[in-house]
Amino acid sequence: MLKKSKKCLQLALLMHLTLVINSVVADEVDWRIVNYWSEWCAPCRVEIPMFNALFNDLKASNVSIVGINFDEDPRDITLDIAEELGVEFPTLTIEEVEELALRAPDVMPTTYLLSPTNEVVAKLIGLQSREDILNQLAELGIAVQIN
């Protein structure tokens, strides 16, 4: 009987340890803020400095910011436009965008919040503020550490 209790206790501890490890791994995986921008989009130009600042502020957290050029220009042109617009956060390649399987937005600007498994958990349409983004993260229960 004592042997059986010991085995049950070991099994319970192993299951608990597995849950703890999985929780830690999930916390380390990045949530992503994916911002669609375009050079012809006036509200996008307004958002870019906010996203630049938020990108820097979120570096210590498990939330990252990436951008997508709505116009799907060739990579060299996209990077030139991003530099001209002052985009400081990473801009995804067309191949990376295809891997996400995001539907291009109908309205610009549009920002998606993606889970660590790349599931769309929020779609924010129109001009967003820093507070809008942080509030949405909080509503989703995503704790962020701001620098």
Side-chain angles (χ1 to χ4, degrees):
M1 180 78 170
L2 189 58
K3 260 187 173 179
K4 198 171 194 176
S5 295
K6 186 176 179 183
K7 284 202 181 266
C8 286
L9 180 60
Q10 287 174 335
L11 182 58
L13 287 172
L14 180 61
M15 289 173 58
H16 176 71
L17 183 59
T18 301
L19 288 173
V20 169
I21 289 170
N22 287 340
S23 175
V24 169
V25 169
D27 287 343
E28 291 175 0
V29 177
D30 278 354
W31 290 77
R32 282 196 274 185
I33 299 168
V34 180
N35 176 252
Y36 269 89
W37 56 263
S38 178
E39 67 179 321
W40 50 262
C41 170
C44 298
R45 291 174 177 259
V46 172
E47 282 185 331
I48 288 171
M50 179 275 296
F51 278 115
N52 287 339
L54 195 55
F55 169 72
N56 289 317
D57 290 344
L58 293 174
K59 282 184 178 178
S61 75
N62 66 338
V63 178
S64 61
I65 297 176
V66 295
I68 297 175
N69 177 1
F70 176 80
D71 299 317
E72 299 180 345
D73 293 315
R75 184 69 177 161
D76 58 333
I77 293 173
T78 291
L79 293 176
D80 287 345
I81 295 168
E83 183 177 351
E84 178 186 315
L85 295 176
V87 175
E88 297 171 4
F89 47 92
T91 298
L92 300 181
T93 65
I94 290 174
E95 295 77 20
E96 290 169 322
V97 173
E98 288 171 356
E99 286 177 22
L100 291 178
L102 287 176
R103 185 177 164 284
D106 296 321
V107 177
M108 291 292 288
T110 294
T111 301
Y112 293 98
L113 300 181
L114 302 183
S115 73
T117 59
N118 291 328
E119 177 188 349
V120 175
V121 294
K123 181 178 180 181
L124 310 173
I125 298 172
L127 182 66
Q128 302 299 311
S129 69
R130 175 186 177 91
E131 291 74 28
D132 294 331
I133 300 294
L134 293 176
N135 287 339
Q136 186 64 54
L137 292 171
E139 285 179 26
L140 292 168
I142 303 166
V144 294
Q145 184 178 14
I146 303 289
N147 285 342

